[in-house]
Amino acid sequence: MDTPPPAIHVSGLRKSYGRLEVLKGVDFTVAAGSIFALLGSNGAGKTTVVRILSTLLKPDAGTAGVAGFDAVAQPERVRESISLTGQFAAVDQILTGRENLVMVARLRQVSDPGRVADDLLARFGLTEAGARRVATYSGGMRRRLDIAMSLIGDPKVIFLDEPTTGLDPEARIEVWKEIQGLADSGTTVLLTTQYLEEAEKLADRIAILHQGTIIVSGTLAELRGLLPAAKAELVERQPTLEEIFLAVVGNKEQS
Amino acid sequence: MSAHVLSNTGVMLGRSIRHVTRSMDTIITVTIMPIAFMLLFRFVFGGAIQAGTDNYTNYLMPGILLIAISSGISYTGFRLFNDMQSGIFERFHSMPIARSAVLWGHVLTSVVSNAISVVVIILVGLLMGFRTSAGVLDWLAVAGILILFTLSLTWLAMIAGLAASSTDGATAFSYPLIFLPFISSAFVPTATMPAAVRAFAENQPVTSIVNALRALFDQQPVGTGIWVALGWCAGILVVAYAFAMRVYRRKVA
Ligand SMILES: Nc1ncnc2c1ncn2[C@@H]1O[C@H](COP(=O)(O)OP(=O)(O)O)[C@@H](O)[C@H]1O
Ligand SMILES: [Mg+2]
């Protein structure tokens, strides 16, 4: 059988900030073209994983491979394959939306930066706002611009760190549509989230990061199978990811 | 340097220059204080100062320009600090671009914006009676010294911008620099100062730079003093650059 190599492969990843041990051996694999959700509560270490994968931070131990390249040994090759949309919108507030896009297009040396920018403005519903400074944008508009900036140059792998945190429900649904569209066009998406609903809605596979390790991972159906039988009887409808999360985290803390 | 690095640096410079031109208030702030000092010294203290010159505006111009640059670079620290805070730095660092371009964009912007304020101040100085017999070569030498001075202080500002944990920290380092010209030959001859102050004044960088600029504006021989001035600038530049890169590498994996 010939399976394509994974887009992301993380194994034995460890990272401490001083005495604080945040990652204690994290392992997961993301298939090319799929959406993978890294789920965890605030402070679980999701951003730390994303920063290691996007070559911004070096792990203490373990390996992080992206698109077949090692994030520590071949950071330039990794950067050519990825795009990062960080936890806080990384847009230039003093420039206009269009200028932000043109800037990234020119940095990535794609041809016809102006057209690329106009196409993305149209696609993300920002055409009218394109000539305005980003400082005047709403949170949802900034997030959409942020994601649009990440798409320039057609990266193979996109990291979205809590892409919908702080957005209103409408803006959240728009961002979800875009993420789905990305995966449909063959891009690999790793997204982190605190919202179980988001992982449930978007992800092909879900991994729960808790107390420094991945305590469970699999498809939504596989995770549902983890729910203790007794609990499953009490829950008449399909259990939500939230119930699975609480059950698994609860078990972990008792043991 | 590869075409890639040049192209990336050009984009970064363009971005950062827009930040300067879109906050004209910073240019005004940067030029107004030195101009105020120029008015104060020329029209309030000037009459009482015995500088042994018949054109005191000429005498104080070099010091005023150094004050302008010393306060101008605090905005460089400020802009770099904002980039570090806003996450746009991380975006750039996760992109397949020359990492050096990110810092050099700020450095070149600092040179350009300080050059603009220097030109504005010289024009105001002309209105106030500044006159120079400097020829093209003298002007080139003046520009060279001022650019080297700007670069050396800019790399100090880069350290502050990279290492600071607050906006104040990113800008406050420039305050002592702004005061250095007052304890130098910039406004009064050092000969009138008490021995200890005089020893400090004559051996700190501003005096040698001021004397060299004054000589160039006046078409006087610069003597060996200009090498002292260039040595100070180059020395500060090398040390500040090395230190800034250390801080940078510690902050960025
Ligand atoms: N640069 C840092 N220095 C010290 N501690 C940090 C640093 N970055 C993150 N942390 C700590 O590491 C833990 C995990 O952080 P993070 O990866 O941001 O979690 P998440 O993204 O899941 O909320 C938190 O307790 C956070 O306070
Ligand atoms: Mg986070």
Side-chain angles (χ1 to χ4, degrees), chain A residues 51 54-58 79-80 84 89-92 94-95 99 103 106-109 133 146 149-150, chain B residues 3-4 7-8 11-12 15 18-19 22 86-88 90-97 99 252-253:
Chain A
R51 296 187 72 228
S54 46
T55 78
L56 296 172
L57 190 68
K58 287 200 171 69
R79 282 177 220 137
E80 283 165 11
L84 167 66
V91 291
D92 189 318
I94 294 169
L95 301 186
E99 284 168 343
M103 171 178 73
R106 289 181 60 205
L107 286 171
R108 287 190 177 267
Q109 302 188 304
R133 286 197 201 180
D146 197 24
M149 284 161 78
S150 291
Chain B
H4 179 61
S7 157
N8 290 165
V11 177
M12 289 299 178
R15 156 177 190 261
R18 283 208 168 104
H19 284 213
R22 286 188 189 168
S86 73
I88 199 136
E90 298 220 317
R91 156 162 261 137
F92 292 145
H93 280 106
S94 70
M95 284 171 60
I97 61 173
R99 287 189 162 193
V252 180

Side-chain angles (χ1 to χ4, degrees), chain A residues 15-18 20-23 38-51 57 87 161-162 192-194 209:
Chain A
K15 181 72 194 177
S16 302
Y17 297 107
L20 180 68
E21 204 181 352
V22 176
L23 306 180
L38 189 59
L39 191 60
S41 41
N42 203 3
K46 305 179 297 295
T47 298
T48 303
V49 171
V50 168
R51 296 187 72 228
L57 190 68
Q87 186 167 352
D161 195 359
E162 300 200 23
T192 76
T193 182
Q194 299 186 43
L209 179 62

Side-chain angles (χ1 to χ4, degrees), chain B residues 48-72:
Chain B
I49 292 174
Q50 300 295 318
T53 168
D54 50 5
N55 185 334
Y56 187 61
T57 312
N58 283 1
Y59 189 86
L60 57 81
M61 182 55 87
I64 294 293
L65 295 180
L66 298 193
I67 287 179
I69 293 170
S70 304
S71 72

Side-chain angles (χ1 to χ4, degrees), chain B residues 195-209:
Chain B
V197 181
R198 180 177 177 179
F200 174 80
E202 290 182 348
N203 293 294
Q204 60 118 324
V206 169
T207 293
S208 61
I209 301 168

